[in-house]
PDB file of all heavy atoms in Angstrom:
ATOM      1  N   VAL Z 207      60.091 -44.258  60.119  1.00  0.00           N
ATOM      2  CA  VAL Z 207      60.803 -44.195  58.854  1.00  0.00           C
ATOM      3  C   VAL Z 207      60.269 -42.933  58.120  1.00  0.00           C
ATOM      4  O   VAL Z 207      59.148 -42.597  58.143  1.00  0.00           O
ATOM      5  CB  VAL Z 207      60.364 -45.415  57.970  1.00  0.00           C
ATOM      6  CG1 VAL Z 207      61.037 -45.346  56.575  1.00  0.00           C
ATOM      7  CG2 VAL Z 207      60.765 -46.769  58.624  1.00  0.00           C
ATOM      8  N   PHE Z 208      61.262 -42.284  57.500  1.00  0.00           N
ATOM      9  CA  PHE Z 208      60.987 -41.036  56.756  1.00  0.00           C
ATOM     10  C   PHE Z 208      61.597 -41.172  55.406  1.00  0.00           C
ATOM     11  O   PHE Z 208      62.775 -41.539  55.192  1.00  0.00           O
ATOM     12  CB  PHE Z 208      61.514 -39.859  57.432  1.00  0.00           C
ATOM     13  CG  PHE Z 208      61.445 -38.558  56.649  1.00  0.00           C
ATOM     14  CD1 PHE Z 208      60.253 -37.875  56.673  1.00  0.00           C
ATOM     15  CD2 PHE Z 208      62.414 -38.142  55.748  1.00  0.00           C
ATOM     16  CE1 PHE Z 208      60.099 -36.667  55.976  1.00  0.00           C
ATOM     17  CE2 PHE Z 208      62.255 -37.005  55.055  1.00  0.00           C
ATOM     18  CZ  PHE Z 208      61.096 -36.256  55.020  1.00  0.00           C
ATOM     19  N   GLY Z 209      60.797 -40.995  54.352  1.00  0.00           N
ATOM     20  CA  GLY Z 209      61.233 -40.905  52.950  1.00  0.00           C
ATOM     21  C   GLY Z 209      61.373 -39.476  52.508  1.00  0.00           C
ATOM     22  O   GLY Z 209      60.466 -38.703  52.603  1.00  0.00           O
ATOM     23  N   GLY Z 210      62.532 -39.172  51.959  1.00  0.00           N
ATOM     24  CA  GLY Z 210      62.726 -37.723  51.458  1.00  0.00           C
ATOM     25  C   GLY Z 210      63.502 -37.756  50.199  1.00  0.00           C
ATOM     26  O   GLY Z 210      64.166 -38.740  49.809  1.00  0.00           O
ATOM     27  N   GLU Z 211      63.500 -36.537  49.586  1.00  0.00           N
ATOM     28  CA  GLU Z 211      64.240 -36.499  48.290  1.00  0.00           C
ATOM     29  C   GLU Z 211      65.223 -35.315  48.313  1.00  0.00           C
ATOM     30  O   GLU Z 211      65.892 -35.120  47.280  1.00  0.00           O
ATOM     31  CB  GLU Z 211      63.213 -36.141  47.183  1.00  0.00           C
ATOM     32  CG  GLU Z 211      62.392 -34.984  47.461  1.00  0.00           C
ATOM     33  CD  GLU Z 211      61.241 -34.856  46.451  1.00  0.00           C
ATOM     34  OE1 GLU Z 211      60.727 -35.867  46.069  1.00  0.00           O
ATOM     35  OE2 GLU Z 211      60.879 -33.693  46.078  1.00  0.00           O
ATOM     36  N   SER Z 212      65.517 -34.762  49.454  1.00  0.00           N
ATOM     37  CA  SER Z 212      66.489 -33.729  49.454  1.00  0.00           C
ATOM     38  C   SER Z 212      67.570 -34.011  50.584  1.00  0.00           C
ATOM     39  O   SER Z 212      67.184 -34.565  51.700  1.00  0.00           O
ATOM     40  CB  SER Z 212      65.909 -32.358  49.759  1.00  0.00           C
ATOM     41  OG  SER Z 212      65.854 -32.059  51.082  1.00  0.00           O
ATOM     42  N   PRO Z 213      68.773 -33.660  50.329  1.00  0.00           N
ATOM     43  CA  PRO Z 213      69.833 -33.809  51.391  1.00  0.00           C
ATOM     44  C   PRO Z 213      69.548 -33.130  52.640  1.00  0.00           C
ATOM     45  O   PRO Z 213      69.846 -33.629  53.722  1.00  0.00           O
ATOM     46  CB  PRO Z 213      71.100 -33.305  50.724  1.00  0.00           C
ATOM     47  CG  PRO Z 213      70.883 -33.228  49.258  1.00  0.00           C
ATOM     48  CD  PRO Z 213      69.367 -33.090  49.056  1.00  0.00           C
ATOM     49  N   VAL Z 214      68.937 -32.019  52.706  1.00  0.00           N
ATOM     50  CA  VAL Z 214      68.575 -31.285  53.867  1.00  0.00           C
ATOM     51  C   VAL Z 214      67.534 -32.067  54.712  1.00  0.00           C
ATOM     52  O   VAL Z 214      67.720 -32.231  55.890  1.00  0.00           O
ATOM     53  CB  VAL Z 214      68.034 -29.854  53.551  1.00  0.00           C
ATOM     54  CG1 VAL Z 214      67.572 -29.168  54.790  1.00  0.00           C
ATOM     55  CG2 VAL Z 214      69.121 -29.028  52.845  1.00  0.00           C
ATOM     56  N   GLU Z 215      66.518 -32.649  54.039  1.00  0.00           N
ATOM     57  CA  GLU Z 215      65.557 -33.422  54.764  1.00  0.00           C
ATOM     58  C   GLU Z 215      66.183 -34.597  55.461  1.00  0.00           C
ATOM     59  O   GLU Z 215      66.024 -34.884  56.568  1.00  0.00           O
ATOM     60  CB  GLU Z 215      64.440 -33.918  53.780  1.00  0.00           C
ATOM     61  CG  GLU Z 215      63.522 -32.919  53.291  1.00  0.00           C
ATOM     62  CD  GLU Z 215      62.549 -33.550  52.253  1.00  0.00           C
ATOM     63  OE1 GLU Z 215      62.984 -34.435  51.413  1.00  0.00           O
ATOM     64  OE2 GLU Z 215      61.421 -33.015  52.249  1.00  0.00           O
ATOM     65  N   ILE Z 216      66.998 -35.386  54.632  1.00  0.00           N
ATOM     66  CA  ILE Z 216      67.685 -36.614  55.149  1.00  0.00           C
ATOM     67  C   ILE Z 216      68.597 -36.258  56.299  1.00  0.00           C
ATOM     68  O   ILE Z 216      68.509 -36.964  57.267  1.00  0.00           O
ATOM     69  CB  ILE Z 216      68.373 -37.291  54.040  1.00  0.00           C
ATOM     70  CG1 ILE Z 216      67.396 -37.780  52.962  1.00  0.00           C
ATOM     71  CG2 ILE Z 216      69.205 -38.496  54.544  1.00  0.00           C
ATOM     72  CD1 ILE Z 216      66.327 -38.715  53.298  1.00  0.00           C
ATOM     73  N   GLY Z 217      69.317 -35.219  56.145  1.00  0.00           N
ATOM     74  CA  GLY Z 217      70.298 -34.848  57.274  1.00  0.00           C
ATOM     75  C   GLY Z 217      69.462 -34.453  58.473  1.00  0.00           C
ATOM     76  O   GLY Z 217      69.868 -34.896  59.577  1.00  0.00           O
ATOM     77  N   SER Z 218      68.431 -33.716  58.394  1.00  0.00           N
ATOM     78  CA  SER Z 218      67.668 -33.311  59.566  1.00  0.00           C
ATOM     79  C   SER Z 218      66.935 -34.493  60.240  1.00  0.00           C
ATOM     80  O   SER Z 218      66.988 -34.624  61.470  1.00  0.00           O
ATOM     81  CB  SER Z 218      66.654 -32.235  59.042  1.00  0.00           C
ATOM     82  OG  SER Z 218      65.780 -31.856  60.099  1.00  0.00           O
ATOM     83  N   VAL Z 219      66.442 -35.357  59.452  1.00  0.00           N
ATOM     84  CA  VAL Z 219      65.654 -36.469  60.024  1.00  0.00           C
ATOM     85  C   VAL Z 219      66.616 -37.465  60.693  1.00  0.00           C
ATOM     86  O   VAL Z 219      66.385 -37.977  61.676  1.00  0.00           O
ATOM     87  CB  VAL Z 219      64.826 -37.080  58.953  1.00  0.00           C
ATOM     88  CG1 VAL Z 219      64.042 -38.336  59.527  1.00  0.00           C
ATOM     89  CG2 VAL Z 219      63.668 -36.120  58.447  1.00  0.00           C
ATOM     90  N   ASN Z 220      67.826 -37.745  60.060  1.00  0.00           N
ATOM     91  CA  ASN Z 220      68.836 -38.478  60.623  1.00  0.00           C
ATOM     92  C   ASN Z 220      69.183 -37.954  62.015  1.00  0.00           C
ATOM     93  O   ASN Z 220      69.353 -38.777  62.914  1.00  0.00           O
ATOM     94  CB  ASN Z 220      70.099 -38.648  59.796  1.00  0.00           C
ATOM     95  CG  ASN Z 220      70.028 -39.639  58.748  1.00  0.00           C
ATOM     96  OD1 ASN Z 220      69.181 -40.619  58.739  1.00  0.00           O
ATOM     97  ND2 ASN Z 220      70.829 -39.544  57.708  1.00  0.00           N
ATOM     98  N   ALA Z 221      69.418 -36.677  62.091  1.00  0.00           N
ATOM     99  CA  ALA Z 221      69.749 -36.046  63.422  1.00  0.00           C
ATOM    100  C   ALA Z 221      68.666 -36.339  64.437  1.00  0.00           C
ATOM    101  O   ALA Z 221      69.013 -36.296  65.690  1.00  0.00           O
ATOM    102  CB  ALA Z 221      69.982 -34.517  63.270  1.00  0.00           C
ATOM    103  N   ALA Z 222      67.459 -36.538  64.047  1.00  0.00           N
ATOM    104  CA  ALA Z 222      66.366 -36.811  65.053  1.00  0.00           C
ATOM    105  C   ALA Z 222      66.307 -38.326  65.422  1.00  0.00           C
ATOM    106  O   ALA Z 222      65.475 -38.674  66.195  1.00  0.00           O
ATOM    107  CB  ALA Z 222      65.035 -36.326  64.455  1.00  0.00           C
ATOM    108  N   GLY Z 223      67.166 -39.067  64.858  1.00  0.00           N
ATOM    109  CA  GLY Z 223      67.160 -40.450  65.177  1.00  0.00           C
ATOM    110  C   GLY Z 223      66.085 -41.358  64.476  1.00  0.00           C
ATOM    111  O   GLY Z 223      65.762 -42.479  64.852  1.00  0.00           O
ATOM    112  N   VAL Z 224      65.655 -40.838  63.300  1.00  0.00           N
ATOM    113  CA  VAL Z 224      64.698 -41.499  62.537  1.00  0.00           C
ATOM    114  C   VAL Z 224      65.366 -42.222  61.378  1.00  0.00           C
ATOM    115  O   VAL Z 224      66.182 -41.618  60.743  1.00  0.00           O
ATOM    116  CB  VAL Z 224      63.537 -40.551  62.048  1.00  0.00           C
ATOM    117  CG1 VAL Z 224      62.579 -41.325  61.204  1.00  0.00           C
ATOM    118  CG2 VAL Z 224      62.823 -40.020  63.258  1.00  0.00           C
ATOM    119  N   THR Z 225      64.910 -43.478  60.993  1.00  0.00           N
ATOM    120  CA  THR Z 225      65.473 -44.156  59.843  1.00  0.00           C
ATOM    121  C   THR Z 225      65.051 -43.381  58.583  1.00  0.00           C
ATOM    122  O   THR Z 225      63.929 -43.055  58.382  1.00  0.00           O
ATOM    123  CB  THR Z 225      65.023 -45.585  59.766  1.00  0.00           C
ATOM    124  OG1 THR Z 225      65.389 -46.287  60.960  1.00  0.00           O
ATOM    125  CG2 THR Z 225      65.569 -46.271  58.565  1.00  0.00           C
ATOM    126  N   THR Z 226      66.110 -43.142  57.672  1.00  0.00           N
ATOM    127  CA  THR Z 226      65.672 -42.423  56.465  1.00  0.00           C
ATOM    128  C   THR Z 226      65.828 -43.287  55.165  1.00  0.00           C
ATOM    129  O   THR Z 226      66.658 -44.176  55.100  1.00  0.00           O
ATOM    130  CB  THR Z 226      66.653 -41.195  56.359  1.00  0.00           C
ATOM    131  OG1 THR Z 226      68.013 -41.726  56.463  1.00  0.00           O
ATOM    132  CG2 THR Z 226      66.425 -40.190  57.443  1.00  0.00           C
ATOM    133  N   ILE Z 227      65.018 -42.911  54.259  1.00  0.00           N
ATOM    134  CA  ILE Z 227      64.999 -43.514  52.911  1.00  0.00           C
ATOM    135  C   ILE Z 227      65.145 -42.364  51.932  1.00  0.00           C
ATOM    136  O   ILE Z 227      64.255 -41.452  51.912  1.00  0.00           O
ATOM    137  CB  ILE Z 227      63.758 -44.287  52.642  1.00  0.00           C
ATOM    138  CG1 ILE Z 227      63.451 -45.380  53.695  1.00  0.00           C
ATOM    139  CG2 ILE Z 227      63.735 -44.886  51.237  1.00  0.00           C
ATOM    140  CD1 ILE Z 227      62.143 -45.934  53.596  1.00  0.00           C
TER     141      ILE Z 227
END
Side-chain angles (χ1 to χ4, degrees):
V207 177
F208 175 86
E211 58 190 35
S212 90
V214 172
E215 288 176 327
I216 297 298
S218 178
V219 177
N220 274 341
V224 174
T225 301
T226 52
I227 303 169

